[in-house]
């Protein structure tokens, strides 16, 4: 997982990453996370515990707007 302030891969082939992306080391491909990442601001911290990814940063909702009131922290399960 990679977090930061970006919306696409450097070569522009994958878009709508919304500040967070997953890299598959076997298939060597980038992909978006559920709900298209987080809304418009930076991701500062990532932690994996078991199969859960915790994300911290300056955001309040998922990029698709389906999950709101995140207050800078999100959990992706599975």
């Amino acid at each position: 997982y990679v977090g930061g302030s970006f919306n696409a891969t450097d070569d522009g082939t994958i878009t709508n990453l919304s500040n967070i992306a997953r890299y598959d080391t076997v298939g060597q491909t980038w992909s978006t996370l559920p709900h298209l990442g987080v809304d418009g601001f930076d991701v500062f911290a990532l932690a994996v515990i078991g199969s859960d990814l915790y994300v911290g940063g300056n955001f309040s909702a998922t990029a698709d707007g389906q999950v709101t009131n995140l207050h800078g922290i999100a959990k992706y399960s599975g």
Side-chain angles (χ1 to χ4, degrees):
Y1 295 97
V2 176
S5 180
F6 58 89
N7 194 44
T9 55
D10 190 45
D11 62 7
T13 57
I14 308 294
T15 59
N16 296 322
L17 294 175
S18 301
N19 308 313
I20 189 166
R22 179 181 164 278
Y23 185 72
D24 178 351
T25 58
V26 174
Q28 298 183 340
T29 57
W30 289 98
S31 61
T32 60
L33 268 63
H35 300 288
L36 302 175
V38 293
D39 69 354
F41 299 103
D42 300 330
V43 168
F44 298 124
L46 300 171
V48 175
I49 301 173
S51 63
D52 296 330
L53 171 67
Y54 294 85
V55 180
N58 189 12
F59 54 86
S60 60
T62 56
D64 65 3
Q66 290 187 18
V67 182
T68 59
N69 298 318
L70 293 175
H71 304 288
I73 192 161
K75 175 184 171 185
Y76 288 92
S77 295

